[in-house]
Amino acid sequence: MITLRLNHQQHDFLRTVADRDAHLGDVGDLVRAALADASVHENRATPAPTSGPSDRTGEILQPGTGKAFEVAAGQVLRIEQIEGHQCVDLNVFNRADGRERLHVGRTRGMQGLHPGPGDVLWSNAPWERPIMAITGGTATTDTQFPFCSRLIYSAFFGLRDRTNCQEIQNEAQREYGLDPWDLHESLNLFMHTAPGPDGEPVILRNVARPGDHIEFVALIDVLAVPNVCGDDLSNCSNFGVRPVRVTITPGGPADAERARAAYDRSVVLGLPSPREYPGARPLQRDPGYVAAFPHLPLHPADVAVEVSAEHLDRFARARNTDLYGDDEAAALRDIVLSWAIDRLGAFAGNAWP
Ligand SMILES: [Zn+2]
């Protein structure tokens, strides 16, 4: 017997795949088929221990949620892994005028595909200026993939009503009067991407470890809105959703120095002269706001599956210990969901209305 650790929306997905496939009676059949097909990895090393999550306090963002944080100029926003492997989406707005916000395309153009320590985040036109500096961190970022949304799960998985960054972000930013159409492309924190075989970017398995973090210094007063990515069906967060920690601290001279260095590096010969744009939209907290994130709670939906000694042997040789160490349940979930997603592709192509 082997136990597959899932939440209810992952279980719904596996049932959908099993229902579409004449060769699979139920999710147990699907698990056995996935194990029989699993590629064997040789000589996988167990990951080295990390320093682990810090003992900071701060705010814990739970799976399926996000939160808008006021970060004053000079303060440090730190986003940190607790369990590891978790992608976080980030939106940023100018508190004095919500029309100005992070422009991920401009940031990509000025700082490259993976902004890191020493880079700045740029705002949209007509402002086009650095609004935050990345001053520290131990993790990857990505600027190439848009947030996950209702569209993605419907178009690619045939699923509706499940956690996604679009709706999580909408609900978090609503606290400051921002509308669903104010959502901008996210800066993807802890997302691991690289060129695929044909040169196009692909999302690889998430390598963020407990305690990995990214630190930003605000260059103007901003509203920063991180959210725990709702995607539990891809490499993006290794088929899971987990809490992350957010802290905001005053920032010391060393933070200011790093922020100044990042600014100077990106603005070598000065910015265009600033102009006034009438109709500023200051962002004020709605005192009546009560968070109501959709598609929660996520219920555990473990499945116990009868498997043969051969299946167990295959699993032992195929499981990715590089990423999951002794966490057999996470390794099994990765194998099974990866297989099911590949399988679903075989049924695509008949959705034209
Ligand atoms: Zn997402």
Side-chain angles (χ1 to χ4, degrees):
M1 194 71 90
I2 198 165
T3 299
L4 183 61
R5 192 175 67 208
L6 302 172
N7 65 42
H8 75 273
Q9 51 189 25
Q10 293 171 318
H11 189 255
D12 289 349
F13 168 68
L14 291 182
R15 264 216 320 262
T16 302
V17 177
D19 287 349
R20 284 176 175 231
D21 192 325
H23 300 102
L24 301 174
D26 58 19
V27 172
D29 291 337
L30 188 153
V31 171
R32 286 183 285 273
L35 285 177
D37 278 355
S39 325
V40 168
H41 302 290
E42 300 298 346
N43 303 319
R44 289 279 196 186
T46 300
T50 62
S51 54
S54 70
D55 55 3
R56 290 163 179 257
T57 46
E59 183 121 11
I60 305 297
L61 298 187
Q62 295 296 342
T65 76
K67 186 166 172 53
F69 295 90
E70 296 180 15
V71 189
Q75 288 187 325
V76 179
L77 167 71
R78 176 187 170 107
I79 301 175
E80 180 186 322
Q81 297 284 321
I82 298 172
E83 298 173 25
H85 301 174
Q86 182 58 54
C87 177
V88 174
D89 283 37
L90 180 68
N91 271 220
V92 184
F93 300 88
N94 175 358
R95 271 207 70 205
D97 188 350
R99 298 175 305 174
E100 181 181 12
R101 67 271 310 260
L102 168 61
H103 193 288
V104 169
R106 177 63 68 212
T107 301
R108 181 171 57 237
M110 298 293 276
Q111 315 289 182
L113 301 176
H114 310 285
D119 290 329
V120 296
L121 308 187
W122 289 80
S123 66
N124 56 329
W127 296 275
E128 294 194 297
R129 58 175 174 163
I131 55 172
M132 294 193 102
I134 306 180
T135 52
T138 57
T140 54
T141 65
D142 171 81
T143 57
Q144 301 166 97
F145 287 89
F147 49 82
C148 64
S149 71
R150 292 180 69 85
L151 161 74
I152 297 302
Y153 298 106
S154 187
F156 297 141
F157 298 105
L159 299 171
R160 290 175 174 75
D161 298 326
R162 69 189 328 282
T163 52
N164 65 83
C165 287
Q166 173 208 355
E167 290 181 290
I168 298 169
Q169 223 9 264
N170 286 345
E171 181 55 21
Q173 68 186 28
R174 187 175 65 80
E175 184 172 8
Y176 282 78
L178 288 160
D179 291 306
W181 42 90
D182 286 312
L183 188 60
H184 65 67
E185 248 189 279
S186 56
L187 178 65
N188 304 315
L189 310 181
F190 309 103
M191 184 190 268
H192 183 200
T193 63
D198 59 359
E200 292 295 314
V202 294
I203 300 175
L204 302 175
R205 281 180 171 70
N206 192 308
V207 294
R209 310 289 302 281
D212 277 345
H213 60 277
I214 304 175
E215 286 182 347
F216 304 85
V217 168
L219 301 174
I220 61 172
D221 291 351
V222 298
L223 191 71
V225 192
N227 80 267
V228 176
C229 175
D231 179 4
D232 56 10
L233 286 182
S234 83
N235 292 342
C236 183
S237 298
N238 296 352
F239 306 94
V241 282
R242 310 162 195 79
V244 296
R245 178 182 285 111
V246 179
T247 51
I248 295 165
T249 51
D255 300 302
E257 180 54 39
R258 283 193 286 268
R260 163 60 62 183
Y263 183 94
D264 288 347
R265 178 171 168 261
S266 62
V267 182
V268 179
L269 296 175
L271 295 174
S273 302
R275 281 182 47 196
E276 288 293 317
Y277 299 97
R281 182 183 168 196
L283 300 178
Q284 303 289 352
R285 182 173 182 275
D286 171 2
Y289 171 81
V290 177
F293 291 95
H295 317 307
L296 297 181
L298 294 171
H299 300 290
D302 293 356
V303 187
V305 182
E306 204 77 57
V307 292
S308 66
E310 202 175 318
H311 286 126
L312 284 176
D313 177 60
R314 189 87 179 173
F315 173 55
R317 291 189 294 135
R319 59 193 295 270
N320 186 341
T321 51
D322 270 358
L323 277 181
Y324 301 115
D326 294 332
D327 190 348
E328 294 208 343
L332 179 64
R333 185 175 61 202
D334 186 322
I335 289 171
V336 171
L337 284 170
S338 300
W339 186 90
I341 289 161
D342 283 350
R343 191 78 178 169
L344 191 64
F347 300 102
N350 58 355
W352 188 259

